[in-house]
Amino acid sequence: MEFLVTTITLTLLVGLLISPILLIRFINRTKIKYKFVSYLTIGVFLTALLTIFAWWAYTSDLLLLKHYGYDIDGMNETEFYRKVLPENLDKVKSLETSIMGIGWPLKAIMSFVFYSPYLLIIYGVTYLIGRKTRKAELQKL
C-alpha cells in the first residue's frame, strides 16, 4: 500500500516539475503569436490540475491510516488505536499528526503562490537561452 501511495506522489511531483518545461517546448514549436500569454494561461490550468497533489497528500494519509487499522471515528485513544498493531503504532501516530493542521484546499492555494514563480523562471530561462543561441547564430552568418 505504501509503495502505491509513494509512486502516485512521486508521479504528481514529477508532473509538477516537468510540465512547464514540456509546455514551453510545445509552445515554441507552434506558430502561436502571443507565446507568453499562452504559456501562462495553459500553465495555470495545468497547475490547477496538478494541485491534486495537495488533495492526494491528505487522502493518501487517510488511506494509510485505514490500512493500518486506525479508527478515525473513535471517541478516545483506546478506540483510535484498538486495531493497530504495536509495530505500526509509531507510523500511525505520525500519519495522524500529518492530517492535522491546515486543510488540503489551503495547501492547494499555497501551491499556486509558490509554484507561479517557477513557471515564470522556466519561461525566463528558456527565453534567455533562445535569445543567446539566436545571437550566436547571427554572429556566425
Side-chain angles (χ1 to χ4, degrees):
M1 184 69 147
E2 284 187 51
F3 176 75
L4 180 64
V5 168
T6 305
T7 303
I8 293 172
T9 302
L10 286 176
T11 303
L12 288 172
L13 181 63
V14 168
L16 274 173
L17 295 176
I18 299 294
S19 65
I21 298 167
L22 296 176
L23 178 61
I24 194 70
R25 290 187 63 170
F26 172 75
I27 288 178
N28 283 337
R29 291 182 183 180
T30 59
K31 303 271 185 199
I32 297 174
K33 187 173 182 179
Y34 301 106
K35 292 184 181 196
F36 181 68
V37 174
S38 301
Y39 173 76
L40 280 183
T41 305
I42 297 170
V44 167
F45 283 122
L46 281 176
T47 305
L49 288 174
L50 290 175
T51 52
I52 294 171
F53 187 69
W55 169 81
W56 175 250
Y58 177 75
T59 305
S60 65
D61 288 345
L62 288 178
L63 286 172
L64 286 173
L65 281 172
K66 194 176 288 189
H67 173 72
Y68 286 128
Y70 181 79
D71 183 15
I72 201 155
D73 295 324
M75 297 299 271
N76 57 25
E77 198 167 303
T78 57
E79 288 182 11
F80 289 143
Y81 304 116
R82 176 180 30 196
K83 297 178 186 174
V84 177
L85 298 175
E87 60 267 11
N88 296 333
L89 196 58
D90 289 334
K91 179 72 174 170
V92 168
K93 286 186 179 184
S94 70
L95 286 170
E96 181 185 29
T97 304
S98 71
I99 64 170
M100 302 300 175
I102 64 172
W104 71 265
L106 186 57
K107 288 179 184 177
I109 291 168
M110 292 303 292
S111 70
F112 270 117
V113 171
F114 292 115
Y115 188 72
S116 298
Y118 178 67
L119 286 171
L120 296 175
I121 289 169
I122 294 294
Y123 186 85
V125 167
T126 55
Y127 178 76
L128 291 175
I129 290 172
R131 187 174 167 193
K132 190 174 186 179
T133 51
R134 275 185 259 129
K135 191 182 259 187
E137 288 174 3
L138 287 175
Q139 287 178 353
K140 287 181 182 179
L141 295 175

